[in-house]
Amino acid sequence: MPQKSKIEVTEKVKITREYVSGKISREEAARRAKVAPASIARWARIYRQEGALGLAPTKKNRVYSSELKKKAVLEYLAGGCGLHTICEKN
């Protein structure tokens, strides 16, 4: 089940944009949002992939096709790149 965000979407997008554009550090973004720096990195990855709408709360989990899952697993096992890179590509 998706988690309810403790920070408003508009604030999350604002902080993420500032981090992605290099105006603030990941640590500063985390301090402002009162979350772990790893969360900021995740938000940035989502923002780069899906834009601001990707940071909006959803009512259900995303569904991925079995073809996409298989492709990602095979690419990971082949050692071509890391997990986060594969996630960004797919």
Side-chain angles (χ1 to χ4, degrees), residues 50 61-69 90:
E50 303 174 32
N61 292 332
R62 294 182 177 122
V63 177
Y64 299 100
S65 70
S66 56
E67 288 178 19
L68 180 63
K69 292 179 199 176
N90 297 309

Side-chain angles (χ1 to χ4, degrees), residues 13 26 33 35 44 68 75:
V13 170
R26 184 171 70 163
V35 297
L68 180 63
E75 190 170 346

Side-chain angles (χ1 to χ4, degrees), residues 45 49 68-90:
R45 182 174 38 82
Q49 287 178 300
L68 180 63
K69 292 179 199 176
K70 182 178 178 182
K71 179 183 169 192
V73 168
L74 291 174
E75 190 170 346
Y76 180 75
L77 292 175
C81 52
L83 178 61
H84 290 294
T85 305
I86 292 170
C87 292
E88 288 177 6
K89 288 184 352 183
N90 297 309

Side-chain angles (χ1 to χ4, degrees), residues 4-57:
K4 184 174 189 237
S5 180
K6 296 175 183 164
I7 181 172
E8 292 293 324
V9 175
T10 53
E11 188 65 16
K12 186 187 277 190
V13 170
K14 179 183 173 202
I15 291 169
T16 303
R17 280 184 180 152
E18 289 182 25
Y19 167 65
V20 169
S21 69
K23 292 180 182 174
I24 61 174
S25 68
R26 184 171 70 163
E27 290 71 22
E28 175 62 18
R31 187 189 62 73
R32 288 186 190 179
K34 297 181 177 124
V35 297
S39 294
I40 300 299
R42 184 170 33 83
W43 294 356
R45 182 174 38 82
I46 292 168
Y47 181 80
R48 287 182 188 112
Q49 287 178 300
E50 303 174 32
L53 289 177
L55 297 175

